[in-house]
Amino acid sequence: MSLRDTLEFLAQQPLLALAVGAIFLVTLGGMIRRVTPRLSRLLQDGGNLALVAALLLTIVQVARLTTGSDLALPQIGLPEQRVTGGETRVEMSNDGHFWLQARVNGLPRRFLIDTGATLTALSESTAEATQVPVQSLRQSVLMRTANGTVRADLARVHELRFGNIVARDLDVVVAPGLGETNIIGMNLLSRLASWRVEGRTLVLVPNHPQVEDSPS
């Protein structure tokens, strides 16, 4: 791997770049200790702080993400969800999956509910249309799909709404390998009071039911 390839790779992995930079500072500080002790101490202290920051940020990412989720690919069929009492009920499509219409930051988009996906995922076109920015500290994760392993970027949705359910400040990944598919994963479902499958119906029960939303 050339120096240019290495720099491009590190630019895509900010936590790794931070750790590498920190190690460089600590090493450089040790090399010049006898020549300039004060500068040496400053460099080593800065490098150690950077290493601690990289470690803490990595722990936070691991706590919030599991990067090996299997994501289903799109199928045909989209029955409408309906709200009954305090529940949103989603009928199974003819393809055997649960699909629904939701609003991402106010814009309607189609979603597949995948209980095998740890994270909610947006296609690149949905993220762009709904103005969901990749996090400023760009962090990539690897995700497995039926098309193989793809790289996805961590982002956050201000508001995702469907039926009587609203999720705000929701962690998502923007995954180019999904094509046009958007996926609701377990990080959203786990926010609910409960969810269950009754025959061919998925029943979603929010903690605080909202006014029913019917995206067009």
Side-chain angles (χ1 to χ4, degrees):
M1 180 180 291
S2 67
L3 177 60
R4 180 178 179 180
D5 292 337
T6 301
L7 293 176
E8 289 179 353
F9 175 75
L10 289 176
Q12 297 175 357
Q13 301 293 332
L15 293 182
L16 178 59
L18 179 61
V20 170
I23 293 172
F24 174 77
L25 289 178
V26 172
T27 303
L28 180 61
M31 294 173 61
I32 65 173
R33 180 180 303 171
R34 293 184 178 181
V35 180
T36 55
R38 183 173 299 178
L39 179 58
S40 170
R41 189 180 308 110
L42 182 62
L43 290 176
Q44 289 187 314
D45 288 346
N48 288 329
L49 286 175
L51 279 174
V52 171
L55 175 61
L56 291 177
L57 289 171
T58 301
I59 292 173
V60 170
Q61 295 289 1
V62 170
R64 288 166 53 183
L65 303 175
T66 299
T67 61
S69 304
D70 292 323
L71 302 179
L73 292 180
Q75 303 293 334
I76 299 174
L78 182 60
E80 294 182 358
Q81 67 264 20
R82 67 182 187 276
V83 176
T84 303
E87 303 172 342
T88 290
R89 304 175 73 89
V90 183
E91 299 299 325
M92 183 181 292
S93 173
N94 292 333
D95 61 13
H97 296 291
F98 295 104
W99 295 86
L100 56 77
Q101 287 279 6
R103 291 188 184 276
V104 182
N105 294 340
L107 294 181
R109 285 296 183 272
R110 176 170 112 148
F111 279 81
L112 167 68
I113 299 179
D114 185 358
T115 58
T118 303
L119 293 171
T120 297
L122 303 181
S123 68
E124 286 185 309
S125 59
T126 293
E128 181 178 357
T130 58
Q131 299 182 347
V132 175
V134 172
Q135 289 193 5
S136 56
L137 182 57
R138 193 179 183 92
Q139 177 66 23
S140 297
V141 297
L142 296 178
M143 306 189 74
R144 292 194 304 271
T145 72
N147 287 337
T149 301
V150 298
R151 188 175 300 279
D153 292 317
L154 182 64
R156 181 171 294 179
V157 170
H158 173 65
E159 181 181 276
L160 192 151
R161 176 186 294 265
F162 58 92
N164 64 350
I165 295 169
V166 177
R168 296 185 175 89
D169 296 326
L170 178 69
D171 288 330
V172 301
V173 289
V174 179
L178 297 177
E180 295 301 314
T181 306
N182 304 295
I183 292 172
I184 289 177
M186 284 302 300
N187 69 320
L188 190 155
L189 297 180
S190 63
R191 292 188 177 191
L192 304 178
S194 66
W195 64 273
R196 64 188 185 275
V197 177
E198 296 179 353
R200 293 177 58 85
T201 303
L202 177 64
V203 183
L204 307 172
V205 184
N207 289 290
H208 305 288
Q210 306 293 306
V211 176
E212 178 180 355
D213 185 66
S214 299
S216 57

